[in-house]
Amino acid sequence: MDKWEQIKQYQQAGAYVFMALPNQKHNAVDGGFHNSFDSGDELNTWLIQHPEYQDGNLGIDLSKSNLVVVDIDKHKHNGMKSISAWFKAHDISPETIQDTYVERTATGGLHAFYLIPTGREKPKHMINVIDGVDVLTNTAVTVAPSVIDNNNYRAITPFETIQEAPKWVYQLANYHGSTNTPSNQKTTRYNNVDRWLMVKNGFETGQRNDQAMSLAGYLFALDVEPQSIYDILQITNERSNEPLPHDELGKVYMSARKREERKRMRLNSYGRD
């Protein structure tokens, strides 16, 4: 399907579409993914002013759209296994995922899209509500026909099958199992694989500061040259759906650097006679 036909489909369903840079997930113009439009004419006018985005990827600004996305990860956690177990525990058929519009992401995960009728509240925005599964309502998602590192986002069910968010989506967002993490709750423990996945995919909205601090601290601990650390943070930030402002990223970097300097001063003092 032609890109503009795909955009028209999204917008007719109530989605606010934004353009990302080619091979990227983010919009680097001030406002980021909030440079989004539910009108093809308005989006085209914006593109005339920003021609570098003409051949870029597509994204949907969920904060403005009457949509919720259940994001099932595959490259970091086995989200499909988690949600299958959750369905079984709640006596819900796992086939229900196929009843709506679903896209396969560039990393092999799934995005299941649901409509929110006018006047109905959205489910809560929840990151890692169960291992490898997010309920997304106020962030950005990259959508077909986008391409990241030669891997396509693609539809695996017809767009016409998109349905209203069923009751279980709200149940999932309100789930209080041991793995759920509200989007505003800080997560500070990341392993080395997590950190290098940050470099590859960008920081996650809702965890950007924590992840940037964790990555910076890890690199300082490896004794990476400070300027290189800042360069890596900038590259990672640019790959994020919603990059941190440059001044905020700088504050995170300086905080991590000062913390590492204090740590080394303590170690040096312990080593004295």
Side-chain angles (χ1 to χ4, degrees):
M1 180 185 294
D2 173 79
K3 180 190 286 188
W4 280 97
E5 284 300 312
Q6 192 98 25
I7 291 172
K8 184 178 179 180
Q9 273 197 337
Y10 293 137
Q11 291 177 329
Q12 286 179 339
Y16 281 73
V17 177
F18 70 91
M19 300 302 299
L21 291 165
N23 199 46
Q24 301 292 330
K25 296 181 179 181
H26 71 278
N27 180 302
V29 178
D30 285 347
F33 68 80
H34 295 305
N35 294 303
S36 57
F37 308 91
D38 62 352
S39 158
D41 289 341
E42 290 180 353
L43 180 60
N44 195 46
T45 298
W46 186 90
L47 279 170
I48 291 171
Q49 298 169 352
H50 302 88
E52 67 273 26
Y53 286 82
Q54 285 283 355
D55 297 319
N57 285 330
L58 302 183
I60 290 177
D61 176 358
L62 293 175
S63 70
K64 294 182 185 177
S65 306
N66 61 339
L67 295 170
V68 56
V69 172
V70 177
D71 180 5
I72 305 172
D73 195 11
K74 194 172 181 181
H75 72 282
K76 185 175 177 183
H77 301 288
N78 191 336
M80 185 55 71
K81 183 178 179 180
S82 297
I83 201 166
S84 294
W86 188 87
F87 281 147
K88 184 176 180 180
H90 291 78
D91 198 27
I92 300 169
S93 170
E95 302 300 317
T96 186
I97 285 289
Q98 301 177 31
D99 294 339
T100 192
Y101 177 60
V102 180
E103 291 186 355
R104 186 169 299 282
T105 70
T107 53
L110 298 177
H111 283 167
F113 292 76
Y114 296 95
L115 295 168
I116 305 297
T118 302
R120 186 177 175 187
E121 287 190 10
K122 287 185 177 184
K124 286 189 287 188
H125 180 85
M126 297 292 288
I127 301 298
N128 208 38
V129 64
I130 53 178
D131 282 340
V133 179
D134 305 329
V135 179
L136 306 178
T137 61
N138 67 1
T139 185
V141 288
T142 307
V143 293
S146 300
V147 181
I148 303 289
D149 296 334
N150 295 318
N151 295 310
N152 297 321
Y153 284 75
R154 59 185 179 86
I156 60 175
T157 59
F159 186 82
E160 293 75 16
T161 63
I162 191 169
Q163 63 174 239
E164 291 184 6
K167 182 179 178 181
W168 69 259
V169 174
Y170 289 83
Q171 288 179 286
L172 179 63
N174 289 316
Y175 182 61
H176 295 294
S178 60
T179 62
N180 64 325
T181 305
S183 61
N184 62 350
Q185 178 178 328
K186 292 186 177 180
T187 302
T188 56
R189 291 189 176 183
Y190 302 97
N191 60 37
N192 293 346
V193 173
D194 292 338
R195 294 182 181 107
W196 288 115
L197 284 171
M198 293 173 199
V199 176
K200 181 177 183 291
N201 300 309
F203 301 125
E204 295 178 32
T205 301
Q207 301 182 56
R208 297 172 301 172
N209 290 71
D210 287 334
Q211 291 187 344
M213 179 65 78
S214 178
L215 178 59
Y218 168 68
L219 294 171
F220 275 116
L222 291 179
D223 208 22
V224 176
E225 194 269 327
Q227 182 58 51
S228 296
I229 293 174
Y230 188 68
D231 291 343
I232 292 169
L233 289 178
Q234 284 187 308
I235 291 168
T236 305
N237 192 48
E238 289 169 0
R239 291 173 176 170
S240 305
N241 275 334
E242 188 178 2
L244 284 166
H246 291 302
D247 59 342
E248 191 169 348
L249 185 69
K251 289 177 183 177
V252 172
Y253 165 79
M254 288 306 301
S255 179
R257 182 169 181 171
K258 289 176 181 177
R259 187 171 67 177
E260 182 64 21
E261 288 171 352
R262 289 194 297 268
K263 178 181 173 183
R264 294 187 183 190
M265 286 175 64
R266 288 195 300 268
L267 288 174
N268 289 339
S269 67
Y270 292 151
R272 292 173 186 162
D273 293 331

